[in-house]
Amino acid sequence: MKNLDLRQFAEVMVALLAQKGIACRLGENNGRIGIIYEEAGIKASTDVTLLWQKYGADYDVAELADVLYKAITSEVQKKKAEMPNPMPEPQVQPQVSRPQMKTQPGRVTQQPMPDDMGGKMQIKCFGQNGAPLFEGSFNSPEEAKAAIAGFMKNVLNADDASVTEFMKEFDARDYNPKQWAKEAKAAGMKYVVLTAKHHDGFCLFDSKYTDYKVTNTPAGRDLIKEYVEALREEGLKVGLYFTLLDWHHPDYPHYGDRIHPMRNHPECSNENRDFSRYIEYMYNQVEEVCTNYGKIDIMWFDFSYDDMRGEKWGAARLIDMVRRLQPGIIIDNRLEVSGEGRGSLYECDPTPYHGDFISPEQIIPPEGICDKEGNPMVWEACFTMNNNWGYCANDHYYKPASMLIKKLVECVSKGGNMILNVGPDAKGKFPKESSAILAEIGRWMDKNHDSIYGCAPAADIPKPDYGRITRNGNKYYVHIYENTLGPLPLIGFDKNKIVKVRALDDGHEVPISTLWVHSDYPDIAFVDLGPDPVLPDPVDYVLEVEMAE
């Protein structure tokens, strides 16, 4: 479904609901699309935008149509029960009674047929270029359902001709890893991780084990090679993301797998699939990326689920090869777990493939992460800038830079790190929103990086009401998100051991307050930020407090 935008997705849902006897229309308000059912004085609706954003490309259309069907019928039943004289169950003839819909590229449309055609159902499916993928007239919803199922299989199945068409279009014309590297460095980042291969199985590197790769597209070159060289020019560490899943490979489980797009299609049975062949294929490709690009600093595997974990991936052999080819490499923990779960390191019984850090996804651990014996663990939280990992033209819900700066500080104050996602568009450019956010983060980091790099939690100091604290040796960094009324208290600091307090951005000394207003708190040190109640940095104003060692 990756090639369907929100409106196309909504119209496919309308078509599938029609097969279930629910005649609906689309409604739109402020960029959001809903499906509306209205019959015999009863009106029900549901927001398709939320469903589309939540599931992205990882869904089965029939399942989601069932979800919408249940939501609409449930609301209809509720409203019928509230009516003083309940109406009889509507008898819907969706294909004959519906008005004609405009046909547009990338959409499924249904049109009522003239009476001389016996009220048959006509369905047309159009590709992005406006050319019909198929069209036909059907005597029953069952026939139409089969037709739509075939169409959706073509959309979802990575082996179908539609994917080949995308490969013919992919030219990466605006791919400029040197610009990416410059923006990352300017934002204060020390390393970058690029997807070498994602779950669809398409390789951005020149693998000799498949034809499903970037060098067989109009781009015609190894994009990973260019990326690695660009990062090294900027002095950045090199990271590669590599999926453990591969929906394109014929030996990867299809039917019945919880994740595979064809999981609900019995015609895609796993008979004659040899998973050991797939494991060897994956091993060979990981060996390629660990061999062909010089030093790799980070390998980000993704991900384990159900029984697909650990030795199911041949993990001990795989990790041994990676560490042999790339001594000193840092590896995540997803040969054991996913964004949820902490793995054998947490259990204090590490496997050979435990990885080096925990990888919570789209959440900051409320209190950091310790193992079951209470020892602090190394962790890195991964976040999207908006609500999607890959580029999504309709997702403009970007987290503001001010929020992301504070989340970075929160991660460091809890003993973790943060990796922030950017989803380049199909041509290879960063979205303008992403570039603007990176630039704003960079301006803050340029002044305040000492409060981030090499810092750890200030475990001996309680979290202040006005912000957070990070620490590097005998220097504590007080992050102030909002000013206080009167002098600012440094609760938890031994006032007799404070050597000096400075503003981190320009280094000027901030005096210890001697005002009478805090005379009732003689054991607490207060600093005087001056007469202006507005902080010099409205996002995060940082003080460096040096303590006697």
Side-chain angles (χ1 to χ4, degrees), residues 136-331:
S137 299
F138 305 95
N139 294 313
S140 67
E142 288 72 23
E143 286 186 13
K145 183 176 182 180
I148 291 180
F151 165 63
M152 296 316 300
K153 179 186 175 187
N154 285 337
V155 172
L156 287 168
N157 191 343
D159 292 326
D160 285 336
S162 57
V163 173
T164 304
E165 291 303 313
F166 283 126
M167 286 184 66
K168 291 179 181 177
E169 297 176 6
F170 184 60
D171 58 11
R173 67 183 67 177
D174 294 330
Y175 176 63
N176 185 352
K178 292 185 177 182
Q179 178 63 28
W180 290 9
K182 290 182 185 299
E183 290 190 41
K185 184 176 182 178
M189 297 176 180
K190 293 295 188 180
Y191 63 94
V192 181
V193 177
L194 177 63
T195 302
K197 187 178 81 166
H198 207 262
H199 309 331
D200 59 358
F202 184 76
C203 301
L204 288 185
F205 58 99
D206 187 16
S207 173
K208 66 182 180 182
Y209 297 102
T210 182
D211 291 330
Y212 195 46
K213 57 185 178 179
V214 67
T215 48
N216 287 337
T217 70
R221 62 195 194 278
D222 189 326
L223 301 188
I224 296 299
K225 180 177 182 293
E226 295 179 21
Y227 154 81
V228 168
E229 293 171 352
L231 260 57
R232 292 191 181 122
E233 285 181 15
E234 294 295 334
L236 297 171
K237 300 293 186 182
V238 175
L240 292 176
Y241 169 108
F242 194 96
T243 180
L244 302 172
L245 292 66
D246 192 325
W247 298 333
H248 182 78
H249 197 281
D251 287 312
Y252 195 89
H254 287 43
Y255 179 59
D257 178 82
R258 182 164 63 89
I259 307 297
H260 200 286
M262 304 312 293
R263 58 192 175 272
N264 294 321
H265 290 263
E267 70 274 18
C268 298
S269 76
N270 295 318
E271 187 177 359
N272 298 323
R273 299 189 195 280
D274 185 346
F275 191 66
S276 66
R277 281 198 302 253
Y278 169 69
I279 292 301
E280 193 64 24
Y281 170 80
M282 179 183 72
Y283 180 95
N284 289 336
Q285 287 198 322
V286 173
E287 187 176 39
E288 284 182 313
V289 298
C290 288
T291 302
N292 296 341
Y293 303 102
K295 181 174 174 53
I296 304 299
D297 300 287
I298 301 164
M299 180 64 76
W300 224 99
F301 288 116
D302 195 29
F303 64 97
S304 295
Y305 62 100
D306 299 340
D307 68 332
M308 307 284 276
R309 63 183 71 241
E311 283 307 325
K312 188 68 177 281
W313 303 118
R317 174 176 175 245
L318 182 69
I319 211 85
D320 179 69
M321 177 265 290
V322 172
R323 294 200 186 280
R324 174 171 47 82
L325 294 175
Q326 293 288 342
I329 195 170
I330 297 172
I331 303 174

